[in-house]
């Protein structure tokens, strides 16, 4: 009844999981800013990939497909969080959160600046600078054109430069996001 095929698919998926789980979790963390949610989003993405494994394994770029699934799940999570905050705001008065310590580490500054970017700009900046993906691979992961990646990355970096108050935003962002990958102990 196809057990050999199912076993081969299972082994192949397991290898894919082992090879890409940490990367997908890191991507989810950088997109959402939530370490706790990152593992759940990566697991949810991989579960969705398993359900469509025949299609995924036949794709030209299965890892890019997986990144796209994570990006879509992260976008959904962020939208849900925004809606929930709006509902809570109806019942509670909002208070502005201020950073008390002016000596906040660069990583925290970059993460906060990233959270202020619209999702597509944030995703382009993270994939290009934290994951060192090419414009083409970033476009594949997000399901957009290479031109959109170029435009959104450029605009996102300009906005980060303004938010961070530095002309070296690409170096600052790249260094800070590289340090983010060290928190999980599992890099790529």
């Amino acid at each position: 009844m196809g057990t050999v095929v199912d076993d081969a698919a299972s082994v192949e998926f397991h290898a894919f999981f082992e090879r890409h789980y940490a990367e997908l979790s890191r991507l989810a963390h950088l997109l959402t800013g939530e370490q706790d949610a990152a593992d759940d989003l990566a697991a949810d993405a991989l579960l969705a990939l398993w359900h469509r494994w025949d299609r995924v394994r036949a794709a030209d770029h299965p890892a890019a497909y997986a990144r796209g699934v994570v990006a879509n799940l992260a976008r959904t999570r962020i939208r849900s969080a925004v809606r929930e905050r709006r509902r809570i705001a109806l019942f509670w008065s909002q208070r502005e959160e201020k950073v008390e310590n002016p000596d906040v580490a660069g990583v925290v500054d970059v993460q906060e600046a990233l959270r202020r970017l619209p999702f597509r700009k944030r995703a382009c900046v993270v994939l290009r600078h934290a994951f060192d993906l090419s414009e083409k691979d970033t476009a594949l992961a997000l399901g957009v054109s290479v031109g959109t990646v170029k435009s959104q990355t450029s605009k996102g970096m300009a906005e980060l430069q303004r938010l961070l108050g530095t002309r070296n935003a690409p170096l600052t962002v790249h260094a800070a996001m590289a340090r983010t990958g060290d928190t999980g102990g599992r890099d790529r």
Side-chain angles (χ1 to χ4, degrees), residues 4-19:
V4 174
V5 173
D6 293 343
D7 288 343
S10 179
V11 168
E12 187 178 327
F13 178 78
H14 184 37
F16 182 87
F17 179 96
E18 291 295 323
R19 192 167 48 253

Side-chain angles (χ1 to χ4, degrees), residues 94-115:
Q94 287 183 304
R95 297 183 344 211
E96 286 189 31
E97 292 183 30
K98 296 182 181 177
V99 176
E100 298 291 329
N101 185 357
D103 296 322
V104 177
V107 173
V108 174
D109 291 341
V110 170
Q111 288 177 342
E112 181 60 35
L114 280 169
R115 277 189 214 104

Side-chain angles (χ1 to χ4, degrees), residues 22-126:
E23 171 192 351
L24 296 174
S25 179
R26 183 170 169 235
L27 172 60
H29 176 231
L30 289 169
L31 291 177
T32 63
E34 300 175 24
Q35 180 61 48
D36 294 339
D39 287 335
D40 291 342
L41 287 174
D44 289 346
L46 286 161
L47 179 62
L49 293 173
W50 172 245
H51 288 296
R52 294 181 290 246
W53 187 241
D54 287 339
R55 251 186 290 161
V56 174
R57 70 199 278 204
D60 290 337
H61 305 283
Y65 186 87
R67 289 183 199 110
V69 172
V70 169
N72 287 333
L73 288 172
R75 179 184 305 120
T76 300
R77 181 174 179 82
I78 290 166
R79 286 179 178 165
S80 295
V82 168
R83 283 192 302 271
E84 184 176 337
R85 282 187 207 119
R86 286 181 183 152
R87 284 192 300 266
I88 291 171
L90 292 173
F91 299 101
W92 301 97
S93 65
Q94 287 183 304
R95 297 183 344 211
E96 286 189 31
E97 292 183 30
K98 296 182 181 177
V99 176
E100 298 291 329
N101 185 357
D103 296 322
V104 177
V107 173
V108 174
D109 291 341
V110 170
Q111 288 177 342
E112 181 60 35
L114 280 169
R115 277 189 214 104
R116 294 176 66 184
L117 293 179
F119 181 82
R120 184 171 287 169
K121 287 180 188 173
R122 180 181 336 140
C124 287
V125 167
V126 167

